[in-house]
Each structure stands twice: as C-alpha cells, then as structure tokens.
Amino acid sequence: MARLDDGHGTRLSFSAYPNVKLWEKEVTPPGMDGGGANDTTTMHNETWRTRAPKKLKTLADASGTFAYDPDCYDDLTAMINVNQQITITFSDASTITFWGWIDQFTPQRITEGTQPTAEVTIIPSNQNNSGQEVGPTRG
C-alpha cells in the first residue's frame, strides 16, 4: 500500500442495505481519539503535574456528502439507529470496516442549477449485534 494521492473513487457501503441510493461526493473517514489525559498528580509531586494516557480509544464519527435518489428515504428510515458493518473503500481499493449506525440524514437546500445533496453522520459503535467489542479492521 502507498499513500493516497487522490481521494476520487472513495466509497461507503452499509451491510444492512448495500443498495441504498446514495452517491458519494465527499467522505470523511472515522478519526481516532485517546480520550485525553488521566491526571495522576498527587501531593507528592514537587514541580510538575503528571498525567497518563487512558486505556480505551474512541473511533470518532464518520460522515459524508451524498447525491441521493428520493427513494433512499425508505431504506434510510429502516437504517437510522441500526447497528451494522460499514465499510469505507478508499481510492486505492484498501478498506476500513467498522460497526456503527447512521445517526443523521440531513438533506441540504435544493436549488435550481445544483445537484441536491444530503449530509450523513455515522457513529461507530465498536460492538457487533451480540454486544462483543469489535474494533475497526483494515483490508
């Protein structure tokens, strides 16, 4: 694998509804967050406050801007708050797959002369439907 030099061709897919009528215009993959520091300072410190990293990590929200077919409303109504596997396929064909759900589908203003789009927000759950902790996987 090599660095990405062009994002064109990046796609999102949803295991529960692989044929949902959304077409990617922009994709923001999930980020990662360590959750900040644990304060370990005590009255025994003499000069510096001390801190330590947390043990748990957070997979941050993913999002995208999509062109859409109004028929997608039926699928999206069924997909909102449904935990499922979500795969982002990057322009070099590598992937990241994680468990999560669509939290928001927000159509943007529709105006003459522009393609209608909608914003989609995805929240990673990091657990499968049996409640087992599952982190993101790369392919």
Side-chain angles (χ1 to χ4, degrees):
M1 287 187 224
R3 74 168 187 245
L4 296 176
D5 288 333
D6 189 347
H8 178 73
T10 300
R11 306 264 199 290
L12 253 110
S13 59
F14 303 93
S15 64
Y17 289 85
N19 297 319
V20 64
K21 295 189 172 150
L22 297 173
W23 292 269
E24 298 84 346
K25 293 184 77 69
E26 295 179 5
V27 175
T28 302
M32 290 176 264
D33 184 349
N38 286 333
D39 185 353
T40 60
T41 306
T42 69
M43 293 297 176
H44 294 265
N45 288 71
E46 295 179 15
T47 305
W48 296 98
R49 289 180 190 87
T50 54
R51 300 183 289 179
K54 291 191 164 117
K55 301 289 182 196
L56 300 177
K57 302 171 182 96
T58 299
L59 191 62
D61 295 355
S63 63
T65 302
F66 297 85
Y68 62 96
D69 179 329
D71 283 346
C72 75
Y73 274 82
D74 291 336
D75 288 344
L76 288 165
T77 297
M79 290 172 64
I80 295 286
N81 291 341
V82 173
N83 195 45
Q84 60 186 297
Q85 285 188 302
I86 299 165
T87 300
I88 296 176
T89 303
F90 294 96
S91 58
D92 68 352
S94 65
T95 61
I96 182 170
T97 300
F98 58 95
W99 284 87
W101 68 89
I102 294 176
D103 187 55
Q104 293 180 332
F105 171 77
T106 309
Q108 302 304 296
R109 179 176 290 142
I110 297 174
T111 60
E112 187 274 329
T114 61
Q115 183 178 41
T117 61
E119 299 294 318
V120 174
T121 302
I122 299 163
I123 298 178
S125 67
N126 298 315
Q127 63 180 341
N128 64 23
N129 288 332
S130 297
Q132 297 171 312
E133 182 178 312
V134 180
T137 58
R138 292 258 311 125

